[in-house]
Amino acid sequence: MTTHDVTEKDSRELPWWSNAVVYQVYPRSFQDSDGDGMGDVPGITSRLPYLASLGVDVVWLSPVYKSPQDDNGYDISDYQDIDPMFGTLDDMDTLLKRAHELGLKVVMDLVVNHTSDEHDWFKASAAGDSKYTDWYIWEDPKPGHVGGQPGAEPNNWGSYFGGSAWQWVPERGQYYFHQFSVKQPDLNWENPAMRQAVYQMMNWWMDRGIDGFRMDVISYISKTYDENGRLPGIAGSLIPERPAGPDGFDSPFDYCSDGPHLDEILQEMHREVFDGRDGYLNVGEAPGISAERATHVTNPQNKELDMLFLIDHMGIDQHGPAGKWSVTDWKLSDLRKIQARYEQIIDEGGWTSLFFCNHDQPRVVSRWGDDSSEESRTRSAKALGLLLHMHQGTPYIYQGEELGMTNADYTSLDQYEDLESINMYHQLVGAGVLSSDEMMNSIQRMGRDNSRTPMQWDDSIYAGFESADAHTQPWLGVNANKATINAQAEQNDENSVFSFYQKLIALRHTNPIVSHGHWNALDIDDEQVYAFTRTLDDHELVVVINVSSELAALPTQTAAVLNNTDHTNDEHGDGLHESKVILSNDSAQGVIEQINAKSLNPWTAFVYEVK
């Protein structure tokens, strides 16, 4: 049995979400109830029994607020209304009531790093209204330049969606800062009145019955200023401008992530919104926050956030001049090292989120699995699910992940809707950073539309996302593999990816080792087999996954743990037993045979109870 020192985690009572599973719904792609080609709130409500049958505990909704939909709802024009394309506030109330009847909690996306440029706050700020003057980040043109002309931008920062991060507003005579789309101006979190307006809105939703928030890029809200209150590279700033990259811009990331006032803002938010409430969940998307910092932010004693989405592991296959679009091979040892840092957060008193997929990432079975055949797709989808969910932390399932849905089958740029993919294609190809073919290959592998294709409910013409006689085609093309990958077929198949996820979720709910047990990696340098133990008191599980499409030798340390088992309570006491294989994507007998042969078949994954 693996032993470990008593940690801060061991000495505290863990909250309800320590063994919960969260399911992310991307509303426009989940279920269309009225045949207009867009998913909606009533559609989500109609599918809540499906989510309850899967066994999840929490439903996280991507934005359904009123929005011009420049960035698919992450550009909000009214935080306290539902966009007509999704329904009404009454529809939202119905969803909350039905979810709670089914034992499901509902978490809403909170996008407060920025608003839409069509939000009333921004309109007033752009017009010079004294109340809202500094609710956004405004700067004068570069000295000696005419505002709105090339080169007059306050510094050389570029937007993550392409082009300059500064937009000229003639009526105000200044530029506003936007890290993302030009229609997503960043809020100024240095302004206390603005912060209070956000907290009032959050309380309004909590009082209405939601169960918490997933906070979009919350690590970006505090920016770095010099001692005189100037951003880096701005005229007179004590922090100099850095050289531009090959696309003509410098990234603002280092100065806009995990800024100097993030902790105090999150603590203030906790006091103003969450103190005195029970049963909620607040999770933050946290690019730029290290594992060490995450331990502080998620430690309950600091009263900031319950958990964070850390994204270091999302970059293991992205290395080169084009950032995420420079897609490269990846190493299993890199993933293991990053996951070990995440696990350490929990051992040191914090908590972490577990995810491979979301609305911004491609489908993991296409990215790190093998979708070249139906057998390898099914086996690798189960294997990657087992790898993720058997860690400590709170696992998140993105819609369709429980079916093993794959990347989109698009072949040309005009099939894509994602603003980031389209803008970066023109910017990177135009600057000669990537060729057209290279960029299209990158979009096909990493573009955000890969995860946004309509949910595949059945094998009908629109995959059950909307009725076959709908007058409007879905907003994004349905994947042709709906004929074989769909919920209807998988719910009736005990060997499907869906059924495997049901068992995986049930194991977390019923076996305290999965949520509370200590994690310890085995064979840390192996590039094919990912193995670890989970230990609680005198019980231990061994988790083993061949993360490859090739035969893999059972690593030495893993083999020793599996075979150095106390069998005194076994029926015969003479070695490994099928009954000890408590979950696998293979037969229990097949697992034992592979262990004895010290050779794992492609994508074999199992959990073995040692003691």
Side-chain angles (χ1 to χ4, degrees):
M1 175 183 139
T2 301
T3 60
H4 68 284
D5 296 331
V6 175
T7 65
E8 185 172 345
K9 183 203 71 168
D10 299 321
S11 64
R12 75 178 195 258
E13 182 179 349
L14 294 176
W16 65 269
W17 37 254
S18 64
N19 72 336
V21 178
V22 183
Y23 188 99
Q24 182 188 358
V25 168
Y26 194 67
R28 63 166 50 207
S29 297
F30 195 61
Q31 180 67 68
D32 176 15
S33 70
D34 58 9
D36 67 352
M38 293 285 181
D40 47 47
V41 172
I44 298 168
T45 303
S46 73
R47 294 294 187 178
L48 290 176
Y50 166 84
L51 299 181
S53 74
L54 179 60
V56 299
D57 306 276
V58 182
V59 181
W60 151 30
L61 302 182
S62 284
V64 291
Y65 313 95
K66 195 170 183 180
S67 166
Q69 301 295 322
D70 182 65
D71 187 27
N72 290 5
Y74 283 85
D75 50 317
I76 297 168
S77 58
D78 189 341
Y79 287 104
Q80 292 177 228
D81 199 1
I82 301 298
D83 195 280
M85 69 179 285
F86 294 126
T88 66
L89 280 170
D90 286 343
D91 291 331
M92 188 66 195
D93 290 339
T94 299
L95 183 150
L96 292 172
K97 182 176 183 293
R98 181 60 176 143
H100 292 157
E101 289 172 349
L102 291 168
L104 299 168
K105 292 180 180 288
V106 178
V107 168
M108 291 184 72
D109 235 306
L110 182 74
V111 188
V112 289
N113 172 72
H114 48 266
T115 70
S116 167
D117 65 346
E118 297 183 31
H119 197 291
D120 286 345
W121 296 348
F122 183 78
K123 291 178 181 178
S125 187
D129 186 317
S130 59
K131 177 180 176 181
Y132 299 97
T133 297
D134 296 323
W135 281 38
Y136 295 83
I137 299 172
W138 296 94
E139 292 289 348
D140 293 328
K142 187 176 294 184
H145 292 72
V146 177
Q149 297 297 312
E153 295 83 3
N155 65 17
N156 66 355
W157 284 355
S159 161
Y160 308 132
F161 283 6
S164 173
W166 297 97
Q167 178 67 19
W168 175 247
V169 177
E171 58 266 37
R172 176 157 171 151
Q174 287 186 305
Y175 287 89
Y176 67 82
F177 176 59
H178 60 96
Q179 292 184 75
F180 298 94
S181 162
V182 69
K183 290 183 67 63
Q184 293 171 299
D186 277 43
L187 285 162
N188 177 19
W189 277 82
E190 301 291 313
N191 186 307
M194 188 282 299
R195 298 199 303 270
Q196 286 301 318
V198 170
Y199 304 151
Q200 290 171 15
M201 173 269 293
M202 293 172 69
N203 275 306
W204 184 85
W205 275 111
M206 294 293 287
D207 293 342
R208 200 172 187 100
I210 71 165
D211 302 291
F213 295 98
R214 176 269 185 186
M215 303 180 186
D216 187 65
V217 292
I218 200 66
S219 57
Y220 288 179
I221 61 177
S222 175
K223 277 66 171 177
T224 297
Y225 295 85
D226 71 6
E227 62 187 43
N228 298 314
R230 296 187 181 96
L231 289 169
I234 301 295
S237 176
L238 300 177
I239 306 174
E241 185 173 78
R242 299 184 304 194
D247 60 355
F249 300 102
D250 179 38
S251 171
F253 180 81
D254 291 341
Y255 300 116
C256 295
S257 60
D258 197 14
H261 301 300
L262 183 62
D263 288 323
E264 62 189 83
I265 292 173
L266 293 177
Q267 289 163 3
E268 179 184 67
M269 179 186 290
H270 197 284
R271 289 193 304 271
E272 296 290 333
V273 180
F274 299 107
D275 276 359
R277 299 185 187 271
D278 296 315
Y280 65 82
L281 169 65
N282 55 25
V283 53
E285 183 187 26
I289 288 188
S290 67
E292 292 73 22
R293 282 280 296 125
T295 302
H296 175 89
V297 172
T298 62
N299 189 312
Q301 295 178 355
N302 296 320
K303 294 187 176 182
E304 295 188 27
L305 296 175
D306 295 328
M307 63 189 80
L308 295 175
F309 287 115
L310 300 182
I311 64 171
D312 290 356
H313 61 300
M314 292 288 97
I316 60 174
D317 53 2
Q318 301 167 348
H319 303 284
K324 69 174 279 185
W325 306 107
S326 292
V327 187
T328 60
D329 292 334
W330 64 284
K331 297 195 299 182
L332 188 61
S333 56
D334 289 340
L335 177 63
R336 186 187 292 109
K337 289 173 185 175
I338 294 171
Q339 287 294 153
R341 293 202 296 270
Y342 295 169
E343 296 298 292
Q344 189 175 1
I345 293 170
I346 301 177
D347 281 346
E348 294 178 354
W351 199 256
T352 194
S353 305
L354 305 170
F355 76 98
F356 283 156
C357 296
N358 62 33
H359 63 288
D360 285 333
Q361 301 294 338
R363 295 287 183 179
V364 70
V365 71
S366 298
R367 183 179 190 177
W368 294 337
D370 183 351
D371 63 2
S372 63
S373 72
E374 180 59 14
E375 180 182 7
S376 62
R377 180 195 68 83
T378 300
R379 286 180 65 84
S380 61
K382 294 176 181 179
L384 291 166
L386 186 77
L387 188 159
L388 184 74
H389 282 243
M390 288 304 297
H391 282 80
Q392 304 182 95
T394 298
Y396 288 70
I397 299 169
Y398 178 75
Q399 64 183 49
E401 188 176 357
E402 78 282 6
L403 305 177
M405 280 181 61
T406 66
N407 276 357
D409 53 356
Y410 305 155
T411 57
S412 63
L413 189 64
D414 60 9
Q415 291 174 284
Y416 291 90
E417 295 286 342
D418 175 38
L419 184 68
E420 179 193 31
S421 297
I422 296 168
N423 286 355
M424 293 309 297
Y425 173 90
H426 294 296
Q427 179 167 310
L428 293 173
V429 173
V433 178
L434 294 176
S435 70
S436 176
D437 287 346
E438 288 172 333
M439 188 61 190
M440 280 304 303
N441 178 64
S442 295
I443 292 174
Q444 287 166 344
R445 295 175 65 179
M446 304 302 264
R448 299 191 300 176
D449 280 342
N450 283 307
S451 61
R452 299 176 180 184
T453 57
M455 180 72 172
Q456 294 167 206
W457 296 106
D458 58 39
D459 63 356
S460 62
I461 183 172
Y462 299 132
F465 167 71
E466 59 184 358
S467 63
D469 60 354
H471 298 297
T472 304
Q473 292 185 358
W475 73 280
L476 194 61
V478 176
N479 199 314
N481 61 24
K482 62 182 172 58
T484 53
I485 306 173
N486 66 76
Q488 184 181 71
E490 295 201 26
Q491 284 180 286
N492 299 317
D493 180 0
E494 64 179 12
N495 294 315
S496 67
V497 179
F498 177 88
S499 295
F500 187 83
Y501 266 79
Q502 282 183 313
K503 297 170 187 173
L504 192 55
I505 294 167
L507 182 62
R508 172 170 291 270
H509 287 160
T510 58
N511 193 324
I513 301 178
V514 182
S515 57
H516 294 66
H518 178 72
W519 179 90
N520 184 62
L522 302 173
D523 297 292
I524 60 175
D525 295 321
D526 197 285
E527 296 295 354
Q528 271 187 282
V529 177
Y530 193 112
F532 55 91
T533 59
R534 299 296 310 280
T535 309
L536 183 66
D537 300 326
D538 59 348
H539 299 284
E540 186 172 59
L541 302 178
V542 184
V543 182
V544 182
I545 306 101
N546 176 6
V547 191
S548 78
S549 298
E550 308 294 333
L551 287 171
L554 187 66
T556 304
Q557 189 179 10
T558 303
V561 172
L562 287 167
N563 287 287
N564 189 26
T565 303
D566 180 358
H567 301 290
T568 56
N569 294 323
D570 291 343
E571 182 180 353
H572 303 291
D574 57 358
L576 297 163
H577 282 266
E578 295 176 27
S579 63
K580 296 285 189 175
V581 180
I582 61 175
L583 185 61
S584 175
N585 63 354
D586 210 329
S587 69
Q589 179 182 355
V591 168
I592 300 302
E593 290 174 354
Q594 291 174 63
I595 294 173
N596 287 333
K598 296 185 178 181
S599 178
L600 301 178
N601 292 333
W603 296 106
T604 288
F606 63 88
V607 182
Y608 189 87
E609 185 178 16
V610 172
K611 187 176 180 181

